[in-house]
Structure formats: C-alpha cells, structure tokens
Amino acid sequence: MIRTTLLRGVSAGALTLVCVSPCAQSFAQEALPTIEIGASRAPERTTGPAPGGEDTSKGSLWSPTLADGKPAFVEKWQLPNPVSSVTRKEIERTINIVNPEDSVKYLPSLFVRKRNIGDTQATLQTRTWGVGSSARSLVYADDLLLTALIGNDNTIGAPRWGLVSPEEIERVDFLYGPYAAQYSGNSMGGVLKITTRMPDKLEVTAKNTTAIQDFSLYGTSAGLVTNITNIFVGDRINDFSWTVSGNWQRGSQQPLTYVNASGTNLYGYPGAYFATNRFGVPATVLGATGNLANDQVNGKLKLAYDVTPTIRATYTLGFWSNDGTSYPQNYLAANYAPFFGRAFTPSPPWPGQSVAQNFASGYYRIQEKMLTNAGAIRSNTGGLFDFEISASNFTYLQSDQRQPFSGAIPYGGYTATGRNQIFTGTYWTLFDAKGIVRPEGLLKDHDISFGLHGDHFNLNNPTYLTTWWPAGQNAAIPGVAQSISQGSTRTQALWVQDAFKIDPKLKLTVGVRGEHWTGSNGYNQSLGSLNAVGLGSTASRASLLPVFQPVKNNTRFSPKGSLQWTPDDIWTITGSIGMANRFPTARELYSLTTTPGPTGVLANPNPNLTPEVALTKEVAFERMIGTDGTGRVTLFDEEVRDAIISQSTFVPGTTQLVNTPVNVQRVRNSGVEVAFSKQNVLFKGLELTGSATWLNARIVSNPTWAPTVTLGNFSPSNPGNLDFWALSVAGKNVPNVPNWRGTVAATYSPDDHWAFTVAMRYQGRMWSTLTNNDFTRGVYAAFDPFFVVDTKIHYKLNDRFSFDFGVDNINNYKYFLFHPFPQRTFYVAGKYEFGENKGAPGIFFTGNEGFMPDFARWFRPSDTKWF
C-alpha cells in the first residue's frame, strides 16, 4: 500500500510538471497594517511592466501585495470578504514564531488550538465555530489545501501546518465569511491563505530558535526544551526562479492527557493527586500521559517560470516527516514503570486495577510521512481576461501510531501485544480552473469571474492487532484488524460571480456556486473485543462481518451577495449575505465507534448525514483613523440548519448509547466584532492593534437529543455525562465556542534596529457538552477561560544578523482546553540573511550596524492625526 501511495503522489507530481512549466518573479517587502478590512477595488488595474522592463506596480507584477498594502489576490478576483492580514516584516518584529500557525496569533477572532510546538492537531477556531470544527474553514499555502477535509475534528482533520516553513512565509490573509463564490461551503468560518515568497536574486536565510517551557502541574515538573532550525535559499536566473526551504524540530513537550480514577475506582493511591473531573465529581490523578518527544522535518522545492511577462507557471514539491514517542509518567511508581507482560485472567483482586491500566493509551510511537505536489499556471494582465489553473495532491506515505495494551501488573503494566492505527493511503486531490473577464463597452463596470472545481478525499484507517507492538505493522497478525474505516468523498462545482461598480461610491457583488457531492466506497468492520491471542466471545466472532455503506449523492446551490458603499475616503460600509453548504467528511460518514456490551461489539458509523447549510449575514462599518490607522465594527449573524455535531444517541434497535455525529436541526451564531490598528500612537514608531469579539452561539432545536445515561441506569460506576436530567438542549450554548475573545498588541520601533512588543490574548469559557454542565475549571478535560501576556524584543544588528528574545504566557496562566496548554515559554532566536537588500556590502557586515541604541531618536512625539 505504501508503494502504491508513493507512486500515486510521484505520478501526480510528474504529470503536473509535464503540463505546467516552472517559473517565478520576486517582490519587495513592505510594512503593512496588521488589520486590513474590505476588498474594495483598486483605483487602477495593474497593466504589467512598463516599456523598458520596469514594473510600475508595487514591487513586481507578481507581488502578492498592492500599493495600498492589501492582498493582490483579493483585488484580482474581486473578493467581497472582509480581510485581516499580517506580513513577513510584522511577523519578524512582533510574534514569537516557531511554527507557521503562530502567524495568526493576534488576528481578530482567530485562535489556533496549538497544544505544543509542532502540534499535528492544531485546528483553527474562527469567528463563529470552535476548535472541533476543522472542516468549517479552509487553510491554503499558495495552491496547496492544508486543511484535511477527511474529517471535521481535532485529529486527522487539522490543517497540515508542518508543510510550511516559517521562513518562507511572505504574508498571511484571512477572509471572513462564505461570501466569495469561488470557495466551497467549508469557507463558512473563513479562508486563511498563506502566501510564500519567491526571490528576484540570490537569498540565503538560516535561523535557529530555542524554546524552553517551564511546566509544573500535579506530579510533573520539568524544563522542556525544543530546538527549531529553519533554512531558506532561492535565486532567479532570467525568467526562471527557485527556492528550497525547510525546518527541523527536535524537542520534548508537556503532558497532554492524564489517567484519572473516579466513582467506584476512587482510592487513596500512594503518590496520586486528589482533584475533580469536569463535572465536579471527585477524582484521583494517577499519572500523566502524552509526554511527547519528537522530531519533525519539512522540506520544500518551489520552481517558477515566466512563460511571458504576464503568464507564470509554478510547481511545488513538499515532504514532511514526524517521528515521536509518548512516555507515560506514573505517579504511583518510579521511572515511568515500563512493565510488560500478558494480561492475567481472571482480573486481579486489588480495587481500581482497571483504572491503573489506562496508562497504555498514553504509551505510543507515531511515525508519519507526507508528500505533496502542486502545480499552477496563471496570468496577470489586469486587462480583458485573466485565468488560473491549479492542481494539487496530498498523500500520507506513512502514518502509524502503535501502542501496547494494558497488562494486569500493579500500577500500570503493559503487554507485549498491541495495536497499530494507520492512515497510510489517505489522500486528497484538488483541481481548480477559473477566469475573470473585465469587459469594455456596456459592461465596462463589471468584473465577471467564473470557474470549476473538483476534489477527491480518500480515507483509509484500519487498526491492526500486533503480537509485538514496537514492531508495528511488521508484527501484525495477517487479516486481524481491530477495526477498519474506509471511504471517499467527491465534489464537483461550478461558480460565477459579478462585481458591478454601480458608481464610484457603490459596488454590488453577486454570485452563485453549484455543487454536486458524492460519498462512496464506505466500508466498516469492527472486531472490538478481539485480541492478539484469541477470538474473544461468540458475539464478537459474530460481528466480524463487514458493513458496506450506501452511496450518498447531493446537489446544492449557494447564492452570495454583497453591497459596499464608500461615501468618502474615510468611511466604508459593507453589507453581505451568503449561503454555504458543507458536505459531510469521510470520517463523519465512515469513522468507526465501538461499544462493548452484553451482545458484543456494535459498529455505529453514520453514513446517513445530510449536508449542513449556513446562511450568514453581516454589516461592517470601517473608518480610517487618521492617515495610518483603521477601525472596524462588524455585526454578524449565522443560522445553520442540520449542523453536524457529535452527540450521544441510541444505536438503532438497541438500548446502547454511543457518541456519533448527527444532524442538529438548527443552530444560531450571532455577535459583534471590533478591530482596530493605529500607527504612531503618542510616539513615532508606536503601533497599537487589537480586537474584541462577542458571540452568542445557541442550539435552537435538536429533537434527536438523548442523555448519555438514563436515570434508571445511572450509577457511580456508570455516570456518563451526568445529563440524565436534561429533557432538551434547546437554548444551550454550542459546544467548543467561547462567548468572548480579544487581543491587544503594542509594538514600539524607535529605530531600524529595535522593536519591543507586548501582547495580550483573552478567551472566555467554553462548554464541551450539549447540556453545558461541565462547569468545573482548571482540571483535565475542562475548557477554561484564559488570559495570557506575550512579550518580544527584536534586535537587528545589520542587514545580515538579527536576534529575538521573547516570552509567551509570561504571566504563567495555567489553563486547560481539554488538554493542559503551554505554560511560561522562553524563546531565543538568531537569524542570518544574505541578499535581502540589493547592493549591501559584505557577507557579515554591511556598514549599518547598530551596536548601541540611538537613544536620541527614541520617544519622539508623534504628530499623527486621529480624525
């Protein structure tokens, strides 16, 4: 299977390379405001290089940044979405960045569920949807879709951030809302686009960052060190340009999970810590798991070729590898208690022993290898017609997570047998062709864009039993799988959009997207109680039969509309409305959940999900603050029908309750967002940015609700979610969505060599259950509010060397978002750059060294105007 998958990825790359010639062009880096709002049309279109070869536009014809600082792709395609942006220069000066997802840390309403450095499950939380909604937003790196629309979850569905090296980022832009017809219904939360850079001369960048986290919680106290090395090399030779980039991360992370005892298993274990669970029930913390030590490597090759001055072809080849090991820390025994052995039968007599054996779930080895190919050819004439054709493929060459079972040895033993969860063979492929016509004559003021889209997402997720778990698949018993989940989804779409400039002050944008979706090849099999040395019970053997899921088809249309009024150079008012149809992912349809019971193991995939449809509305008021600032107030409302949310429900024909995705009839998300950015506040070089968002996310109707445990079945050993009292969840908060969030960042740059930043991030409480009864804070599995303060000092010695000193969470706020999140973390970084500025002398010294601060230029009063 690995060989087949590898050939698939390489073949896609080869075909793309044959069809698309490589190319590139460079651009100059300019400072931008952190927050960019609106997508108004530029006063003039870029018409290409002037006679003599000089480009009259900002930077170059292919620069991703316009003269006014806004993203070029938004103007080119006349996208009506509000936009927030951050550039490479701002990232360097203000953000402690070690992974690409750190770049969005202070953008309005956004939060990345980054549990540790290099987290492979860092989902994006948007204005209206929380950390468990990975398929309700789209994350791109140039033409490559990083969002894994295989699932809508905090695991495999998270964007593949590791395919981007921080040093290759040129700018990051976030488009709010599903108002652009060219994006699928997954854009209901928004679209994040990372644009990587291409050079116009030889450039070499090398950066090394060391991060040290001071972590202390329960019985774990350690200084956790991670080292990250980034490289970037690129050049341009006539019409051909290339880059090679990569990064290597090695380090150790804080615990992610804990082994808890509660109910009838609540005993006074020596060395354990008394606590509660998220429902306030007394519990005992027996140890920490998910103590990950890992290596991650990323490598990328980008080629570009200018076929003509206005037509460019590009090709990208990327590879990512992750190799990590998680060691449990048993508070009841020294040295992590690495015992092995076969389980005893019958169970041992000591109380609570089954709980003590849960350490095995946190003892694992994970190995992942991913290959990406992306090619594109596009034009940028700014004239009558422009086009863009792109194709990309993402393939798991290897994805193995193997671990033992719990043995019946006191205080957390492990068996030699185990299991291996696999995603090898999972892949997705996308194709887009789009164009824009800017006619003259009667249709002079219309920019008409259109396109077609196709994608294919394939899930392959078996879990095999092994006789010797460290060997993984090599020790798998032939044909013996604990569970199998497979399936595919496909989407074909056509879209058209018209941006009509009614008059110089008024622009109307309307569009529609038609999509046909298919879910097929669904296959499930569960051998839940089967183990590596026996067939289990008779009922288990009866459950060996596979389940072939039905084929699903659906066709939906999504109209869009936006009206923008610009009465003067100060104010812009925009009203938008858009429908988004989000189709179920392969994991929502075909992921397997098993429940042991008196009749054996029951499989409960939900292949009967219907697409969820969101109707989103907003009105945005934007105002210039002087000549170097902006402010925006946005009122938004989103109503979602058939929202796909995981909840407990009865297995058809049984009294068993299982956790499975279902369609919630109606959900409504309404709120207000305020964002601002202002330079030269009080002093020259002092920039202030910030945002605040209030959200009221409520379940309006959910007739399929059922409690996890009925009153008659409740017992201390079977408490469920303690929700037997809830007859309805209507009016409750939508899970995993905070009510308040906000950021404030102040950066002072007194001269060209120094930048000092203080930033604050706040997020309010969240609920993880539909009944909103997980009220306890500061414990494992809770979703806490948090307030953290970050600092950074950026020092640029000259055009070659720069250094960073920073602290994230300097106030050491300890909080859980189910998992414990990073505590106080220190950063030290050094970077070398060559070729950044044309004509700069010397490999090491350039003549503009700033060995000592020029205090005479500090704290100069600003004469900026506010109104």
Side-chain angles (χ1 to χ4, degrees):
M1 183 178 291
I2 293 177
R3 181 181 179 186
T4 302
T5 306
L6 177 60
L7 290 176
R8 181 191 297 117
V10 174
S11 298
L15 288 173
T16 306
L17 187 59
V18 170
C19 297
V20 181
S21 302
C23 64
Q25 184 84 347
S26 79
F27 33 77
Q29 171 65 35
E30 299 288 342
L32 301 176
T34 302
I35 301 172
E36 300 170 0
I37 306 153
S40 59
R41 188 172 179 176
E44 296 182 4
R45 296 189 179 116
T46 302
T47 57
E54 290 298 326
D55 191 342
T56 57
S57 65
K58 181 178 180 179
S60 75
L61 177 67
W62 299 102
S63 172
T65 303
L66 298 176
D68 59 2
K70 294 182 179 180
F73 78 97
V74 173
E75 163 61 22
K76 178 179 179 179
W77 298 103
Q78 289 293 293
L79 305 180
N81 309 61
V83 184
S84 293
S85 306
V86 63
T87 66
R88 178 163 63 103
K89 184 175 181 180
E90 291 174 322
I91 293 171
E92 290 175 345
R93 293 188 304 113
T94 63
I95 299 174
N96 296 316
I97 183 169
V98 293
N99 301 124
E101 61 267 34
D102 295 326
S103 59
V104 306
K105 191 179 298 183
Y106 307 119
L107 291 183
S109 297
L110 300 187
F111 171 74
V112 177
R113 175 188 173 266
K114 182 183 175 184
R115 303 168 301 171
N116 51 38
I117 295 176
D119 190 0
T120 60
Q121 301 177 16
T123 52
L124 180 65
Q125 175 182 288
T126 60
R127 188 163 63 186
T128 54
W129 289 100
V131 293
S133 302
S134 62
R136 294 189 178 101
S137 62
L138 296 171
V139 179
Y140 287 90
D142 299 320
D143 302 311
L144 184 66
L145 178 65
L146 300 183
T147 301
L149 295 180
I150 294 293
N152 181 42
D153 50 44
N154 289 333
T155 54
I156 190 65
R160 303 295 95 185
W161 303 99
L163 290 166
V164 179
S165 172
E167 284 305 304
E168 65 174 325
I169 296 176
E170 178 62 24
R171 62 178 296 139
V172 179
D173 302 286
F174 186 79
L175 282 64
Y176 295 86
Y179 307 124
Q182 68 174 263
Y183 294 112
S184 69
N186 302 94
S187 66
M188 59 195 301
V191 178
L192 183 76
K193 184 172 182 179
I194 301 172
T195 303
T196 60
R197 59 193 180 107
M198 293 295 292
D200 63 354
K201 58 188 176 303
L202 177 64
E203 292 188 19
V204 179
T205 300
K207 181 180 180 181
N208 192 82
T209 304
T210 299
I212 304 173
Q213 181 187 169
D214 181 16
F215 185 86
S216 178
L217 189 65
Y218 298 128
T220 304
S221 180
L224 305 168
V225 181
T226 301
N227 194 77
I228 306 98
T229 301
N230 295 275
I231 62 168
F232 178 89
V233 182
D235 198 4
R236 179 181 175 91
I237 304 172
N238 298 322
D239 294 326
F240 174 76
S241 56
W242 59 271
T243 65
V244 174
S245 61
N247 64 289
W248 173 38
Q249 171 190 313
R250 163 169 282 191
S252 55
Q253 314 300 337
Q254 86 276 7
L256 292 179
T257 54
Y258 292 91
V259 176
N260 286 349
S262 61
T264 57
N265 292 315
L266 186 61
Y267 294 93
Y269 298 97
Y273 292 80
F274 285 102
T276 66
N277 64 16
R278 56 180 172 162
F279 303 110
V281 176
T284 305
V285 181
L286 307 180
T289 56
N291 301 272
L292 192 65
N294 68 337
D295 283 86
Q296 290 188 19
V297 177
N298 164 353
K300 183 182 291 184
L301 170 68
K302 287 181 62 181
L303 306 175
Y305 182 72
D306 289 341
V307 181
T308 71
T310 58
I311 297 179
R312 164 174 288 184
T314 60
Y315 172 70
T316 302
L317 176 67
F319 175 79
W320 177 78
S321 173
N322 176 40
D323 191 337
T325 303
S326 170
Y327 297 98
Q329 183 181 3
N330 193 331
Y331 298 156
L332 311 183
N335 301 321
Y336 299 102
F339 300 120
F340 291 86
R342 183 175 172 180
F344 293 158
T345 303
S347 298
W350 49 83
Q353 180 60 29
S354 60
V355 175
Q357 302 311 310
N358 288 338
F359 287 96
S361 63
Y363 189 15
Y364 60 84
R365 172 83 180 274
I366 184 169
Q367 292 178 294
E368 299 175 289
K369 293 180 178 62
M370 306 176 186
L371 180 70
T372 63
N373 291 273
I377 184 167
R378 56 176 59 87
S379 69
N380 191 21
T381 66
L384 177 64
F385 175 70
D386 275 311
F387 70 90
E388 182 174 315
I389 301 173
S390 62
S392 60
N393 174 265
F394 179 107
T395 302
Y396 280 80
L397 302 179
Q398 178 188 10
S399 179
D400 297 278
Q401 181 170 325
R402 52 190 186 267
Q403 61 191 100
F405 293 110
S406 294
I409 299 173
Y411 309 120
Y414 314 113
T415 63
T417 59
R419 58 190 170 195
N420 184 16
Q421 184 180 21
I422 292 174
F423 283 102
T424 306
T426 296
Y427 68 89
W428 57 92
T429 302
L430 298 97
F431 174 82
D432 283 279
K434 53 189 176 183
I436 184 167
V437 178
R438 310 177 184 95
E440 300 296 336
L442 294 176
L443 298 178
K444 178 181 179 181
D445 295 315
H446 292 261
D447 285 3
I448 304 171
S449 56
F450 51 88
L452 61 89
H453 166 86
D455 62 52
H456 179 203
F457 292 87
N458 183 72
L459 171 68
N460 183 56
N461 181 208
T463 299
Y464 290 105
L465 298 171
T466 65
T467 56
W468 175 241
W469 76 267
Q473 188 64 22
N474 295 329
I477 303 173
V480 179
Q482 187 181 42
S483 64
I484 298 176
S485 299
Q486 294 177 344
S488 299
T489 61
R490 291 175 180 265
T491 308
Q492 294 85 40
L494 293 171
W495 61 271
V496 63
Q497 178 176 285
D498 181 14
F500 174 33
K501 200 70 175 291
I502 300 174
D503 60 45
K505 297 182 179 181
L506 196 63
K507 183 174 74 171
L508 174 66
T509 304
V510 294
V512 64
R513 184 181 182 91
E515 297 168 293
H516 178 74
W517 169 87
T518 301
S520 61
N521 302 318
Y523 176 91
N524 291 115
Q525 193 169 10
S526 173
L527 316 177
S529 64
L530 193 68
N531 56 54
V533 293
L535 291 177
S537 67
T538 302
S540 295
R541 294 195 294 272
S543 70
L544 304 184
L545 296 177
V547 177
F548 295 91
Q549 304 294 1
V551 175
K552 298 278 290 183
N553 292 280
N554 213 292
T555 300
R556 293 287 181 93
F557 293 90
S558 305
K560 324 276 185 177
S562 179
L563 182 64
Q564 184 180 82
W565 179 43
T566 310
D568 51 39
D569 294 336
I570 297 177
W571 285 94
T572 299
I573 302 173
T574 306
S576 301
I577 184 169
M579 182 174 289
N581 289 282
R582 186 185 78 82
F583 299 98
T585 63
R587 287 205 78 188
E588 289 172 311
L589 292 168
Y590 309 123
S591 63
L592 191 60
T593 303
T594 58
T595 303
T599 59
V601 178
L602 299 173
N604 65 310
N606 191 353
N608 300 312
L609 292 170
T610 60
E612 60 186 21
V613 54
L615 183 62
T616 305
K617 296 86 69 179
E618 73 171 54
V619 178
F621 303 87
E622 179 189 0
R623 190 189 194 282
M624 294 293 296
I625 305 176
T627 59
D628 54 4
T630 60
R632 171 172 57 86
V633 177
T634 301
L635 310 176
F636 59 89
D637 176 78
E638 178 182 77
E639 183 176 343
V640 184
R641 302 279 181 155
D642 294 323
I644 302 174
I645 297 177
S646 185
Q647 71 176 45
S648 295
T649 186
F650 287 103
V651 176
T654 76
T655 58
Q656 287 288 340
L657 278 165
V658 294
N659 201 41
T660 187
V662 299
N663 288 111
V664 174
Q665 189 176 71
R666 187 180 173 197
V667 169
R668 189 162 191 172
N669 307 319
S670 305
V672 181
E673 179 185 78
V674 179
F676 67 91
S677 174
K678 176 64 176 173
Q679 299 179 6
N680 301 310
V681 179
L682 301 179
F683 300 101
K684 292 182 179 180
L686 178 59
E687 180 180 359
L688 188 65
T689 63
S691 66
T693 305
W694 174 75
L695 176 67
N696 182 29
R698 299 285 178 170
I699 298 171
V700 178
S701 176
N702 182 20
T704 63
W705 156 254
T708 55
V709 175
T710 60
L711 182 59
N713 293 329
F714 173 81
S715 68
S717 60
N718 184 34
N721 286 341
L722 298 176
D723 54 9
F724 53 81
W725 50 270
L727 301 179
S728 172
V729 293
K732 298 294 184 180
N733 291 275
V734 176
N736 302 322
V737 181
N739 53 354
W740 282 98
R741 72 196 81 171
T743 63
V744 176
T747 299
Y748 179 50
S749 303
D751 53 40
D752 294 336
H753 297 281
W754 293 91
F756 305 87
T757 298
V758 176
M760 291 165 281
R761 293 174 285 143
Y762 171 78
Q763 182 166 288
R765 68 184 306 173
M766 292 191 290
W767 307 98
S768 62
T769 64
L770 289 169
T771 51
N772 298 172
N773 66 327
D774 51 326
F775 60 87
T776 304
R777 300 297 176 234
V779 299
Y780 174 55
F783 283 78
D784 297 333
F786 64 82
F787 174 78
V788 298
V789 179
D790 308 327
T791 64
K792 180 174 182 176
I793 300 175
H794 175 70
Y795 169 55
K796 183 178 181 180
L797 174 64
N798 57 19
D799 291 331
R800 298 290 177 261
F801 294 97
S802 60
F803 304 91
D804 297 317
F805 310 90
V807 185
D808 277 354
N809 195 3
I810 194 171
N811 54 322
N812 202 30
Y813 197 100
K814 298 182 180 181
Y815 63 99
F816 290 80
L817 296 179
F818 192 91
H819 309 275
F821 267 60
Q823 297 176 12
R824 185 184 294 118
T825 306
F826 301 86
Y827 300 91
V828 178
K831 181 164 71 171
Y832 171 81
E833 299 175 274
F834 178 80
E836 178 68 17
N837 294 304
K838 291 183 177 179
I843 298 178
F844 300 109
F845 296 97
T846 59
N848 66 337
E849 283 70 32
F851 293 105
M852 296 297 294
D854 185 6
F855 291 112
R857 301 183 59 188
W858 289 32
F859 300 109
R860 293 174 294 165
S862 172
D863 57 359
T864 185
K865 296 181 179 180
W866 291 80
F867 301 101

